[in-house]
Amino acid sequence: MSTNMNLLRGKLKERGVTQEELANKIGMDTSTLSRKLASEGLKFTVGEMHNIAAALNLTTNECKSIFLL
């Protein structure tokens, strides 16, 4: 399973949420989130995906587009 990082970064911008704010909301270190967003090699866990979806109030279709490539 891969993550569409460009789409995820776009949703952050669309929702007006910074990487630091998202990291705080999901209980992740800011530098870890930044590395995961910058690299296709670092994967999000299923729990992290759920936390991101909740924090950004993503729809089911948005989640599928971002996390289910």
Side-chain angles (χ1 to χ4, degrees):
M1 193 175 342
S2 187
T3 302
N4 184 331
M5 296 300 182
N6 288 330
L7 187 53
L8 180 54
R9 285 190 292 269
K11 290 298 173 187
L12 281 168
K13 190 171 188 174
E14 185 179 295
R15 302 290 201 277
V17 176
T18 66
Q19 288 182 24
E20 183 176 2
E21 290 169 336
L22 179 61
N24 289 333
K25 287 181 179 185
I26 65 172
M28 180 182 287
D29 187 80
T30 304
S31 63
T32 301
L33 178 62
S34 180
R35 281 193 309 275
K36 287 189 177 201
L37 288 172
S39 170
E40 295 296 329
L42 296 175
K43 306 286 187 208
F44 289 106
T45 66
V46 172
E48 290 168 346
M49 291 178 203
H50 284 283
N51 291 340
I52 290 168
L56 296 178
N57 198 28
L58 298 175
T59 66
T60 301
N61 286 336
E62 288 172 328
C63 289
K64 287 178 183 177
S65 296
I66 292 169
F67 298 116
L68 298 177
L69 295 177

